[in-house]
Structure formats: structure tokens, C-alpha cells
Amino acid sequence: MSDLSLGDDAVAVNSLRSGVMRLSRRLKHQRVDESLSPTEMSVLGTLARCGSATPGELARKEHVQPPSMTRIVALLEAKGLVRLEPHPDDRRQKVVTRTERAESMLEESRRKRNAWLAELCEGLTDEEWATLRAAAPVLEKLAET
């Protein structure tokens, strides 16, 4: 990509950032369980995408300090959304696994957010919708880096 400090690329990057941030904030308001913080929901989402993990692995994936993740995991465990199991190779560690209750809640949350987003997309032209469909894998790629 060319130098982003000048020209159309900088404008496009700014527009992309702004649009993604605003859409993300609006999607976060489409929550099923208002008692969970966005961070708690994010941890459950990471467990759904990546599978069980140690608190240290979750802290790295979520970009938080390990003591913060320990508190988040304790809150999720108290709510019955995760369970701690012995690590198969290291008895000093635990593995965090989401519960069936968390899986159900995440599925309901995905349905609600997808329905909200689908309703928004109904206002797009066929060309805009085709562009957005084509951009979805690229946005996923950016989110994973």
C-alpha cells in the first residue's frame, strides 16, 4: 500500500476506521445479556472461536494483563458461563472452557446481532450489498491480524 499520510488512501483509511468503530459500538448495544460487560462478552467470543485456553492465553488474545483476565474469568465462572478445568500437561495451570449456558447465550446474541445487521443491510442497493459481501472476508482478515 502507498504512503497513507497523503491522498485518497489516507481518506479511505480514516473512513474505514470511523465506519468500523461506529458500527461496532452500535452492534455492542444489541446485547442479549446486559449484565455482561463488553470485555466479558469478548472473552466468551474468543473461547467460542479458539476453544478452551489458559487464562494467560486469553489475556494475550484479549490484550489485557493476566491479573485482569483472572478477575474476568472469576466473574464468568461465578455467572456459570465458564468452568476451570485442570491443564492436561501442567498441573499448576487451569484451562478455561465455556459452558453450555455460554454457548446458548452466544448463539442468541449472534442471532440478535445478525438480525439487526440484516435489517440495516436491507437499505443498501444491490451494488452496495455486493460490495459489502466482497469486503467481509477482507474485514475478517484485518480483524485476525
Side-chain angles (χ1 to χ4, degrees):
M1 189 189 271
S2 63
D3 182 4
L4 293 179
S5 62
L6 301 171
D8 291 341
D9 284 346
V11 172
V13 166
N14 188 59
S15 180
L16 178 62
R17 178 200 48 78
S18 175
V20 167
M21 294 290 291
R22 289 190 346 255
L23 187 58
S24 176
R25 277 194 298 271
R26 292 180 67 195
L27 269 169
K28 284 179 184 177
H29 289 292
Q30 304 300 313
R31 296 191 336 207
V32 171
D33 187 337
E34 294 291 328
S35 72
L36 293 179
S37 72
T39 302
E40 290 169 327
M41 283 296 293
S42 181
V43 169
L44 291 177
T46 295
L47 288 170
R49 278 188 312 282
C50 302
S52 299
T54 66
E57 292 166 338
L58 284 172
R60 281 188 295 282
K61 289 177 182 182
E62 292 294 315
H63 306 284
V64 299
Q65 294 299 313
S68 297
M69 185 54 65
T70 299
R71 285 189 295 277
I72 293 165
V73 168
L75 289 169
L76 291 172
E77 184 181 30
K79 294 175 183 179
L81 297 171
V82 300
R83 66 180 171 275
L84 293 172
E85 300 171 337
H87 192 284
D89 301 322
D90 185 347
R91 294 166 59 185
R92 297 169 297 166
Q93 293 199 54
K94 298 285 186 182
V95 175
V96 182
T97 303
R98 70 190 194 284
T99 63
E100 287 183 28
R101 181 171 175 223
E103 290 175 29
S104 297
M105 189 197 62
L106 285 168
E107 181 57 38
E108 185 180 343
S109 179
R110 277 191 290 278
R111 271 195 302 273
K112 181 178 180 178
R113 290 174 184 196
N114 286 347
W116 178 83
L117 196 52
E119 188 177 319
L120 277 184
C121 290
E122 287 175 5
L124 299 176
T125 66
D126 289 345
E127 184 177 303
E128 289 170 330
W129 177 234
T131 300
L132 194 54
R133 278 196 327 267
V138 177
L139 291 171
E140 280 287 331
K141 181 179 178 179
L142 290 175
E144 295 300 320
T145 57

